[in-house]
Amino acid sequence: QVQLVESGGGLAQPGGSLRLSCAASGFTFSNYAMSWARQAPGKGLEWVSGIYSDSRDTYYADSVKGRFTISRDNAKNILYLQMNSLKPEDTALYYCAKDFSPWLTKEYDYWGQGTQVTVSS
């Protein structure tokens, strides 16, 4: 069965960095676009970033552009999110999600369980 397992979350200081990972299994990872989304306490789900199946294109929400970098290793079936210059407003539960196609449609059929990121001094 499809599994998406996020890791790498934790506590970071403002201006600090974290790298999230999402280990995928149960499907042909290299055939599908993937995304990261987040949900802050008391707020709705926010799409953060997406990447095509072959990494040819990446996309970012304006709120993270220039600070976050999405990447993937199709040989290892892992999706990454490098988060730099973290701000308190980046505090959220971060999810990875599998797209329906190799291109970014922002329509997802599987989600991970999430990893908590807290940015605080």
Side-chain angles (χ1 to χ4, degrees):
Q1 72 280 21
V2 173
Q3 283 195 314
L4 299 171
V5 180
E6 301 94 337
S7 61
L11 176 64
Q13 292 190 337
S17 298
L18 286 173
R19 188 176 81 156
L20 305 184
S21 299
C22 172
S25 61
F27 66 103
T28 305
F29 181 70
S30 59
N31 286 356
Y32 296 93
M34 298 290 295
S35 284
W36 289 97
R38 66 187 181 185
Q39 187 164 25
K43 296 189 176 181
L45 193 66
E46 176 190 18
W47 175 83
V48 172
S49 181
I51 185 169
Y52 276 26
S53 60
D54 59 1
S55 302
R56 72 176 66 186
D57 278 314
T58 58
Y59 299 87
Y60 299 92
D62 288 344
S63 58
V64 306
K65 200 171 294 182
R67 301 188 297 120
F68 290 10
T69 303
I70 191 171
S71 62
R72 63 192 296 161
D73 185 333
N74 283 348
K76 295 182 178 179
N77 293 350
I78 300 178
L79 176 73
Y80 299 102
L81 186 68
Q82 178 67 45
M83 306 187 297
N84 298 329
S85 302
L86 283 163
K87 303 176 180 180
E89 51 263 45
D90 295 319
T91 295
L93 190 59
Y94 283 72
Y95 299 93
C96 65
K98 173 187 171 293
D99 206 293
F100 277 101
S101 88
W103 306 279
L104 196 65
T105 67
K106 294 187 182 179
E107 295 182 2
Y108 309 108
D109 51 1
Y110 290 97
W111 295 79
Q113 83 289 347
T115 186
Q116 179 67 39
V117 171
T118 302
V119 183
S120 174
S121 55

